[in-house]
Amino acid sequence: MNFLDSFIVVLLILLFNAIVYMVFKKYMYGKPNAGMKFLTVNIFKDIIWLIVSLLIIDKTREGFLFIVICFIIASFLIYLPIIKDLNKS
């Protein structure tokens, strides 16, 4: 597996998560149904990231495992602060 391809995939998920979190904090936080709106935006972000990642990464077992691990870690890292924020409001 190419290191540069892996780095780009990780960088993309970090960038996309940061953008979604900023959009959530600025436009959705404190509004009715903020959690559902976040889930909608996050699903579209995940679909876009997955399509781009599949275009970049080699279609091997290692590439698939890498994408799955990145997705699980990135999901945990974005859902944790969002859930904390929603519980505060």
Side-chain angles (χ1 to χ4, degrees):
M1 190 163 47
N2 190 354
F3 175 75
L4 182 60
D5 293 344
S6 303
F7 180 73
I8 291 171
V9 168
V10 170
L11 188 65
L12 279 174
I13 195 68
L14 291 175
L15 179 69
F16 287 169
N17 275 352
I19 291 169
V20 168
Y21 184 73
M22 287 188 279
V23 167
F24 171 77
K25 288 297 271 188
K26 187 169 187 172
Y27 298 108
M28 295 178 216
Y29 184 65
K31 305 267 176 29
N33 295 324
M36 293 304 292
K37 291 176 185 175
F38 164 74
L39 286 175
T40 304
V41 171
N42 196 47
I43 287 172
F44 285 121
K45 181 254 324 172
D46 288 336
I47 291 170
I48 292 169
W49 173 77
L50 181 62
I51 291 169
V52 172
S53 297
L54 287 173
L55 292 173
I56 294 172
I57 291 289
D58 298 331
K59 282 131 188 104
T60 62
R61 182 178 294 173
E62 296 164 350
F64 177 74
L65 184 60
F66 178 73
I67 288 176
V68 168
I69 290 171
C70 285
F71 177 77
I72 291 170
I73 292 171
S75 294
F76 178 75
L77 292 177
I78 194 166
Y79 281 114
L80 187 65
I82 296 293
I83 290 171
K84 285 182 180 180
D85 288 343
L86 288 174
N87 283 337
K88 287 180 187 175
S89 62

